[in-house]
């Protein structure tokens, strides 16, 4: 009777590690996105069925152009949160506050969004 070769090669192990890392990265970004979605943004979701807070309607730049895309600051905050989540690190409060401060113009600070969930300010202008 001969011994069989193990079915797992180094390459298979590397592929498995890569797929686990990709899975953990995806989960980290989902959790980070869920956190960002709790922020009471101005404007309204473009579609009532959309799961994420962005893209939004009713938000205009100083030039009077409606923002059609998700602002880069949203992606930057999400990336920072996801990186810390994936690495299992505590958040650097100053880094997180810095990222949120860059979003200040997009947040509904009236208190209505904080209680009513979503901030429905019409014709909001981003400065």
């Amino acid at each position: 009777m001969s011994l069989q070769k193990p079915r797992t090669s180094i390459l298979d192990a590397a592929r498995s590690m890569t797929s686990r890392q990709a899975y953990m990265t995806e989960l980290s970004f989902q959790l980070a996105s869920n956190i960002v979605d709790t922020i009471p943004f101005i404007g309204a979701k473009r579609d009532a069925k959309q799961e994420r807070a962005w893209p939004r309607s009713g938000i205009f730049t100083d030039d009077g152009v409606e923002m059609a895309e998700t602002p880069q600051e949203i992606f930057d905050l999400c990336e920072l949160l996801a990186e810390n989540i994936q690495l299992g690190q505590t958040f650097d409060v100053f880094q997180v506050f810095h990222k949120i401060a860059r979003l200040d113009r997009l947040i509904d600070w009236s208190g209505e969004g904080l209680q009513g969930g979503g901030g429905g300010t019409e014709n909001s202008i981003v400065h």
Side-chain angles (χ1 to χ4, degrees), residues 21-42:
Q21 288 173 335
Y23 179 71
M24 291 306 295
T25 298
E26 183 178 333
L27 285 179
S28 298
F29 271 94
Q30 285 178 3
L31 181 54
S33 296
N34 290 344
I35 292 168
V36 170
D37 286 341
T38 65
I39 297 172
F41 293 108
I42 59 176

Side-chain angles (χ1 to χ4, degrees), residues 69-89:
E69 302 293 325
T70 303
Q72 183 61 43
E73 294 91 346
I74 301 293
F75 294 115
D76 294 344
L77 175 59
C78 191
E79 185 176 336
L80 174 68
L81 296 174
E83 181 179 310
N84 283 288
I85 291 167
Q86 185 174 5
L87 296 174
Q89 296 177 345

Side-chain angles (χ1 to χ4, degrees), residues 9-104:
S9 68
I10 293 173
L11 183 57
D12 290 338
R15 285 184 185 136
S16 177
M17 179 62 77
T18 301
S19 66
R20 277 195 300 268
Q21 288 173 335
Y23 179 71
M24 291 306 295
T25 298
E26 183 178 333
L27 285 179
S28 298
F29 271 94
Q30 285 178 3
L31 181 54
S33 296
N34 290 344
I35 292 168
V36 170
D37 286 341
T38 65
I39 297 172
F41 293 108
I42 59 176
K45 291 181 178 182
R46 287 199 176 273
D47 181 351
K49 294 180 183 178
Q50 80 185 43
E51 293 181 23
R52 297 287 174 214
W54 285 88
R56 299 183 77 75
S57 62
I59 302 175
F60 298 88
T61 64
D62 289 336
D63 299 334
V65 178
E66 186 170 24
M67 294 177 73
E69 302 293 325
T70 303
Q72 183 61 43
E73 294 91 346
I74 301 293
F75 294 115
D76 294 344
L77 175 59
C78 191
E79 185 176 336
L80 174 68
L81 296 174
E83 181 179 310
N84 283 288
I85 291 167
Q86 185 174 5
L87 296 174
Q89 296 177 345
T90 58
F91 295 110
D92 180 327
V93 175
F94 295 107
Q95 281 184 328
V96 174
F97 282 161
H98 174 73
K99 297 291 185 190
I100 291 174
R102 294 182 63 213
L103 294 172
D104 180 65

